[in-house]
Amino acid sequence: MDFAIQAGDLGKYYGDCIVAGVFESRKLTEAAKALDEMCRGYLTKVLDQGDMDGRANTTLLLHNVPAIGSKRVLLVGLGKEEEYVEKVFLEAIRAAFKALHQTGVKDVGLCVADLIVKGRDTAWSVLQSTLLVEESVYRFDRLKSKREERQPSLQKIIFLIGDEAARAGAEQAFKQGAAIACGMNVTKDLGNLAPNICTPTYLAEQAGEMAKTYNLKLSVLEEKDMEALGMGALLAVARGSHQPAKLIVLEYHGREGIEKPVVLVGKGVTFDTGGISLKPAVDLDEMKYDMGGAASVFGTLTAVAEMKLPINVTAIIPTTENMPGGNATKPGDVVTSLSGQTIEILNTDAEGRLILCDALTYAERYNPDVVIDIATLTGACVVALGHVVSGLMGTDEPLVQELLQAGEKASDRAWQLPLGEEYQELLKSNFADMANIGGRWGGAITAACFLSRFTRKYRWAHLDIAGTAWKSGKEKGATGRPVPLLTQFLIDRAQQH
């Protein structure tokens, strides 16, 4: 998808379709009023005939509107003017592009004046519109023998801006949006791949391709390397699988000198059966998404590299399958982690924290500024927060607040859960330094408490994306989250230094 800015009179847009808004009671937005004046009240006449009343997410496509340079005009319902808030805006943009994809339009002019939402600026509206456009054209059909017959024809979005002062901010915004969308597509593609294709070896190969494309430093630890280091927790998860585990490290150096990197650690369980603590069969296919944390790290690094952000970022991806078998880890086994701490594995389906704890210890050698791990870690987080926001915990409150603010800015929100010392008591074991589960209650919190025991040498935060990394049902598929949140966090940090 191509993006561009066009300043000046709306009448000078001569493309396939121009999009403008209408509030309830057929009240025109400023952009729609300007178009209505050009066509001498034609839009008002059409609305007065009852073809559209401005209800939210309704659309009306008009052809050959008099005195308008554009071949078509798409009117989009925005609902009540006083209720035109962020959620309404996002749904209206989705409705607009759903309608446009039913046509043969190749380029579209979006009136930026209509995109402004209370509490948000032009740049935010342009960035979000860019993400939504890319979302609307995303298809995952590479595994089908025949692609869908009708593919989106849309090729270019032109942001029509009357205010010259807003142009610079809008241009930067759509460039950032395009980079973030590129990263989200990487994340979606990896998540949506079948688990017999997207194995730990495949992820390592993709890391190699990324390293070549963006000039990144790559290192991959094989099982023999991890065994030599003493990564007993990660290797315990891999024991039941015929697919060899990997520890992938990608380094992006966007700032010269010795600036400490932001380290992103992504859980990469490419298929999770639960191991000996076997999961139920219902929706088990969705456990291919248990590498959503790893996929989001790949996507975030892609966005950062596309933007050439002046920041140093290191990605660490522990990746394996979690399978049952004669050599699989059993409930009751005790393993020694890279940190030297011992772990009693009471449930082999609490495997994500086992591969993460060794990766978090390994992160120490990169002398990180901060470390953030991202994982589809617990069903308990989905019970607590649903599929709306990601769970966020950490031992460094300023870092947690930075992430919360980045999520708010990016409309990819997280919600902070407590991480009190009282919860640590639930991880006590009679036979090892700790157990890998803390019982039935507060499961998302005790999982984070477990991880916190391996992060005492740096500032750390944890994102539980079990409820936000993918959708089930008719719209089953990876969402690309939390790439927007993480990328915005890195954009903000790059601007601070």
Side-chain angles (χ1 to χ4, degrees), residues 39 77 85 95 125-126 147 202 211 263 268 273 334 406 439 466 473:
C39 62
V85 293
S125 301
V126 169
R147 299 178 67 191
Y202 180 86
V263 174
T273 67
V334 174

Side-chain angles (χ1 to χ4, degrees), residues 152-172:
S153 59
L154 193 57
Q155 298 174 3
K156 187 173 185 178
I157 304 298
I158 301 171
F159 293 102
L160 305 173
I161 298 182
D163 181 8
E164 190 68 33
R167 181 170 182 170
E171 189 163 354
Q172 183 185 40

Side-chain angles (χ1 to χ4, degrees), residues 115-188:
L115 304 181
I116 307 303
V117 180
K118 185 178 180 181
R120 298 292 193 176
D121 59 12
T122 300
W124 178 89
S125 301
V126 169
L127 191 152
Q128 291 299 319
S129 298
T130 304
L131 293 181
L132 291 171
V133 171
E134 292 285 7
E135 175 190 277
S136 74
V137 298
Y138 177 81
R139 302 287 186 275
F140 186 82
D141 53 12
R142 67 169 72 177
L143 303 182
K144 295 184 178 182
S145 59
K146 293 182 180 179
R147 299 178 67 191
E148 295 179 20
E149 289 186 11
R150 186 181 182 90
Q151 296 289 322
S153 59
L154 193 57
Q155 298 174 3
K156 187 173 185 178
I157 304 298
I158 301 171
F159 293 102
L160 305 173
I161 298 182
D163 181 8
E164 190 68 33
R167 181 170 182 170
E171 189 163 354
Q172 183 185 40
F174 79 67
K175 288 179 179 178
Q176 289 179 349
I180 294 169
C182 180
M184 291 179 74
N185 286 348
V186 167
T187 297
K188 291 177 185 178

Side-chain angles (χ1 to χ4, degrees), residues 157-272:
I157 304 298
I158 301 171
F159 293 102
L160 305 173
I161 298 182
D163 181 8
E164 190 68 33
R167 181 170 182 170
E171 189 163 354
Q172 183 185 40
F174 79 67
K175 288 179 179 178
Q176 289 179 349
I180 294 169
C182 180
M184 291 179 74
N185 286 348
V186 167
T187 297
K188 291 177 185 178
D189 284 349
L190 289 173
N192 289 331
L193 276 171
N196 61 317
I197 297 172
C198 187
T199 62
T201 298
Y202 180 86
L203 288 182
E205 291 169 350
Q206 294 307 297
E209 292 299 317
M210 272 191 67
K212 291 177 185 176
T213 302
Y214 297 112
N215 194 29
L216 309 177
K217 183 180 178 181
L218 169 67
S219 60
V220 179
L221 298 188
E222 304 293 344
E223 287 187 350
K224 64 179 186 298
D225 303 314
M226 292 183 265
E227 190 171 352
L229 287 169
M231 292 187 173
L234 194 163
L235 291 173
V237 178
R239 285 182 58 178
S241 175
H242 293 294
Q243 294 287 342
K246 311 279 184 182
L247 186 83
I248 303 164
V249 181
L250 284 164
E251 297 177 60
Y252 168 84
H253 296 282
R255 188 182 291 273
E256 295 182 4
I258 57 172
E259 180 179 290
K260 295 180 178 180
V262 173
V263 174
L264 303 178
V265 180
K267 172 188 169 185
V269 178
T270 56
F271 195 78
D272 181 19

